[in-house]
Amino acid sequence: MKRYKFLVLALLIGALYVSCTEHEIALYDGAECINFHSSKIAYTFRDSDYVKGLEWVELAVVVEIQGDVKKSRDFCLTTEVNSSYTDKAHVEAEDKYTYTALDTITQSVTIRAERPEKVTTQEPWGVNIVFDVNNPLHRFAPGREDRRACKVEIHYKIRPDGWLSFFWGKYSDGKYLFMMDVLRKAYREIPLIGSVILAEREKVRTAYTEYLKTNPPLLDEDGGEIVFDRQ
């Protein structure tokens, strides 16, 4: 009796295994599909980027194929609004990409993201990149719904650590941007040597005096005019 029960159990397990195997084959024997490998990529523009004049950055996006792809195949990306972001990030993709990594299921491609128009505080700029399935150059079928989009999140934060307010006055983004425009260096690159830092501050003061001859005052986050001095 025990032996009979064992045989029945073995037959049931075998049937389940065959059923699952057939289901998996059916799942991956369909049309070749493409998904995003991750749900979000992000980049933060820093003061060093501003000094370098970096207005665009290249970001890697990893895509993942689903199905038995036997030859190189083109795919296209585009953007769509993500309502969770107040400001939309400006992201650009190539006209098309070609999936060529046939010995694996993932491949990295590159998109470009633009530096935001203004320095951000808490809220990043963002947008979704999606597969442009309506583009005639796109040769993959739609993949998993939960992998159809990838968020691109862009921050722009320049405030440096260790700001010497007793020397430079109260910090503001506008003040720091002006300083970098004049000195062509980030805050951490200013030597903490008495004669050097005094000369750098005098250079900024002189430049700001000249700036005011043809421009309105620069204001800090509280609406007051910036001052390059101890306060």
Side-chain angles (χ1 to χ4, degrees):
M1 186 67 178
K2 289 183 179 180
R3 184 178 179 183
Y4 174 75
K5 290 181 178 180
F6 175 79
L7 289 173
V8 171
L9 181 61
L11 289 172
L12 286 173
I13 292 174
L16 286 172
Y17 174 79
V18 171
S19 175
C20 290
T21 302
E22 288 178 349
H23 177 70
E24 289 176 359
I25 292 173
L27 178 63
Y28 291 107
D29 270 356
E32 295 88 347
C33 303
I34 192 165
N35 305 295
F36 287 105
H37 185 65
S38 60
S39 60
K40 186 176 82 170
I41 56 176
Y43 184 80
T44 299
F45 284 92
R46 303 288 185 183
D47 53 359
S48 56
D49 293 323
Y50 182 81
V51 171
K52 294 174 187 175
L54 185 65
E55 297 184 357
W56 290 84
V57 65
E58 291 188 346
L59 300 175
V61 179
V62 179
V63 297
E64 183 176 277
I65 56 172
Q66 174 183 322
D68 189 13
V69 179
K70 297 183 181 297
K71 63 180 180 179
S72 298
R73 189 180 291 266
D74 295 335
F75 63 95
C76 302
L77 302 177
T78 188
T79 61
E80 68 175 15
V81 173
N82 185 318
S83 59
S84 63
Y85 297 99
T86 302
D87 296 304
K88 179 182 177 181
H90 185 192
V91 172
E92 293 183 352
E94 301 292 336
D95 291 337
K96 70 173 183 177
Y97 301 89
T98 303
Y99 191 92
T100 58
L102 301 178
D103 57 339
T104 183
I105 62 170
T106 61
Q107 180 174 314
S108 178
V109 298
T110 301
I111 61 172
R112 298 172 71 237
E114 187 177 25
R115 190 178 71 196
E117 298 174 359
K118 59 190 177 194
V119 178
T120 57
T121 52
Q122 300 296 325
E123 295 296 326
W125 295 42
V127 72
N128 283 348
I129 51 171
V130 296
F131 295 106
D132 192 359
V133 295
N134 295 318
N135 190 321
L137 299 177
H138 187 82
R139 301 299 185 185
F140 282 92
R144 291 170 46 177
E145 180 61 25
D146 62 328
R147 295 288 185 88
R148 62 168 290 276
C150 176
K151 293 187 293 186
V152 181
E153 192 171 279
I154 304 298
H155 299 256
Y156 185 16
K157 297 181 179 181
I158 63 169
R159 180 165 186 161
D161 296 327
W163 180 262
L164 300 177
S165 57
F166 71 88
F167 185 83
W168 294 104
K170 183 174 66 172
Y171 175 84
S172 74
D173 290 332
K175 173 188 283 188
Y176 187 35
L177 289 170
F178 185 84
M179 288 172 57
M180 288 191 286
D181 286 339
V182 173
L183 301 177
R184 303 313 306 161
K185 64 182 67 174
Y187 184 79
R188 62 180 173 278
E189 298 174 304
I190 303 174
L192 293 176
I193 302 172
S195 59
V196 176
I197 196 170
L198 284 169
E200 297 286 60
R201 185 174 66 178
E202 188 57 33
K203 186 186 298 185
V204 172
R205 282 175 171 171
T206 301
Y208 187 59
T209 299
E210 290 299 313
Y211 172 87
L212 289 176
K213 291 179 179 179
T214 54
N215 297 278
L218 294 175
L219 305 180
D220 60 26
E221 281 75 5
D222 296 322
E225 183 177 356
I226 64 171
V227 178
F228 293 98
D229 204 345
R230 69 174 65 193
Q231 295 173 319

